[in-house]
Amino acid sequence: MASLYSTESYVTADPRALAEERPLPEALRRMSLLMRVLCFLALGRSDLEDHWKSLQSEQAFETVRTRLCRILASTITTAGVLFTISGVFVTTGSPVPYFDYTSPASHCLLFMSLMFVTIALLTSGSSMIRWAHTDRHWTQEQLELGEYFVLSYLLSIVTPVFFVASSLHFFIFAMLITGFSSQSMICRVITVLWLFTYVVNTGTILVEIMWKYARSLDHARYRQ
């Protein structure tokens, strides 16, 4: 899964805002490894330096909020599609005997997919409401309070995407088990091709994430 934000820096356009720019609080400089990973997944950086700068300007903050709401809207759309597909597979039997997804293992994974995508719909909807009604001053005050509030702030961005991605993987695993359990050679060949495509794409995404995270850590050390 790629990070939710691009790694571009947020620039404060208003010169008056630059003059009044508040430095990054000390509590936000000392971050654990978990917080750095969450920060990278949510904001595209392993620290809050650039994100804090975006809170110094209404224009920059509006750009951040618009991008976040767009991501959450896409998450809700994806979750809705997954919810429909998983629901159909859970509640109906297989129309053909050579692709039986009602076996215990496949059915359990499909049910897990349905559960996770339901949670994704709830969390993404609540996060959308939260970000639609927030303002930059309230956000600054929340971040200044320390680690627990920063964790809540980052999780409101990461959690919906995590549950959608988990639901999608449960669904894929259910289909892979069903395909490999099939008595049809055609189904098995298609499943092998699907598995190959899945592994290649997932590996590519993970390598890209690790590379960007390493670059982000180097960037943070350089600024220090």
Side-chain angles (χ1 to χ4, degrees), residues 4-5 10 28 35 38-39 42-43 48 51-52 54-55 61 64-65 68 127 130-131 134-136 138-144 146-160:
L4 304 187
Y5 275 104
Y10 303 109
L28 302 182
M35 295 291 288
L38 285 176
C39 189
L43 306 172
L48 290 168
H51 188 62
W52 181 259
S54 73
L55 299 178
F61 177 71
V64 171
R65 182 166 62 177
L68 255 177
S127 294
R130 173 182 181 175
W131 280 98
T134 193
D135 60 76
R136 71 184 183 93
W138 181 86
T139 302
Q140 283 179 323
E141 293 173 0
Q142 182 188 26
L143 292 177
E144 286 174 339
E147 188 165 339
Y148 171 78
F149 294 92
V150 175
L151 181 63
S152 172
Y153 181 82
L154 295 176
L155 285 178
S156 71
I157 306 171
V158 175
T159 302

Side-chain angles (χ1 to χ4, degrees), residues 15-64:
R16 292 173 299 177
L18 285 171
E20 301 172 1
E21 184 175 308
R22 300 159 64 182
L24 183 69
E26 190 63 29
L28 302 182
R29 296 181 184 274
R30 301 185 302 271
M31 299 177 66
S32 64
L33 177 61
L34 173 63
M35 295 291 288
R36 288 187 179 278
V37 171
L38 285 176
C39 189
F40 173 75
L41 293 175
L43 306 172
R45 297 284 190 183
S46 59
D47 57 42
L48 290 168
E49 186 76 34
D50 290 332
H51 188 62
W52 181 259
K53 289 179 181 178
S54 73
L55 299 178
Q56 312 303 316
S57 161
E58 289 291 349
Q59 180 181 356
F61 177 71
E62 191 60 34
T63 300
V64 171

Side-chain angles (χ1 to χ4, degrees), residues 108-129:
C108 179
L109 289 172
L110 287 170
F111 187 71
M112 291 292 293
S113 175
L114 184 62
M115 288 178 57
F116 271 64
V117 78
T118 302
I119 298 173
L121 284 170
L122 294 174
T123 55
S124 56
S126 60
S127 294
M128 174 74 85
I129 294 172

Side-chain angles (χ1 to χ4, degrees), residues 182-213:
S182 174
Q183 300 299 319
S184 171
M185 183 58 66
I186 295 177
C187 281
R188 291 184 180 183
V189 171
I190 293 175
T191 305
V192 169
L193 293 175
W194 189 8
L195 177 60
F196 175 78
T197 303
Y198 169 76
V199 170
V200 170
N201 280 276
T202 303
T204 302
I205 292 171
L206 289 176
V207 169
E208 183 181 356
I209 290 175
M210 292 172 63
W211 178 76
K212 286 185 176 181
Y213 182 67

Side-chain angles (χ1 to χ4, degrees), residues 88-102 110 175 178:
V88 169
F89 276 83
V90 168
T91 56
T92 60
S94 176
V96 290
Y98 52 82
F99 193 74
D100 185 14
Y101 51 79
T102 59
L110 287 170
M175 294 298 100
T178 302

